[in-house]
């Protein structure tokens, strides 16, 4: 799940319950940039302020779709990280 993405640098916190989750981004990463990268990967999410992203998938989401959402988040954060 999202907690596996917490590394203290790119993602500093993952919080949530059930299907509703948010990740807090590390310094230098903007939620709006990560959201754009997520959309490009087919994941709909919303920024919470400038440093967090919220996920509220449909209740009928499958485990495989959750896994893909987590993978896409890791990819999106890497892609949105300044060089």
């Amino acid at each position: 799940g999202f907690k596996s993405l917490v590394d203290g640098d790119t993602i500093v916190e993952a919080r949530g319950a059930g299907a509703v989750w948010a990740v807090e981004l590390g310094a230098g990463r903007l939620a709006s940039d990560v959201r754009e990268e997520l959309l490009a990967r087919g994941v709909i999410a919303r920024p919470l302020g400038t440093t967090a992203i919220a996920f509220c998938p449909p209740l009928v989401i499958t485990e495989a779709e959750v896994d893909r959402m987590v993978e896409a988040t890791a990819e999106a954060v890497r892609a949105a990280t300044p060089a």
Side-chain angles (χ1 to χ4, degrees), residues 47 75 83:
E75 294 168 3

Side-chain angles (χ1 to χ4, degrees), residues 17-44:
V20 180
W21 281 81
V23 294
E24 186 75 30
L25 304 171
R29 289 152 190 93
L30 293 175
S32 58
D33 294 342
V34 174
R35 179 181 183 265
E36 292 303 316
E37 292 290 341
L38 283 165
L39 287 174
R41 290 163 173 76
V43 176
I44 298 172

Side-chain angles (χ1 to χ4, degrees), residues 3-4 7-8 12 22 29 41 50 53 59-60 63 66-67 71 83:
K3 288 192 176 198
S4 69
D7 62 7
V12 296
R29 289 152 190 93
R41 290 163 173 76
T50 60
I53 298 284
L59 295 176
V60 295
E63 188 172 333
V66 170
D67 292 343
E71 290 170 16

Side-chain angles (χ1 to χ4, degrees), residues 2 19-22 43-46 48 53-59 61 69:
F2 286 109
V20 180
W21 281 81
V43 176
I44 298 172
R46 63 186 171 93
L48 296 175
I53 298 284
F55 302 87
C56 302
L59 295 176
I61 194 168
M69 187 170 58

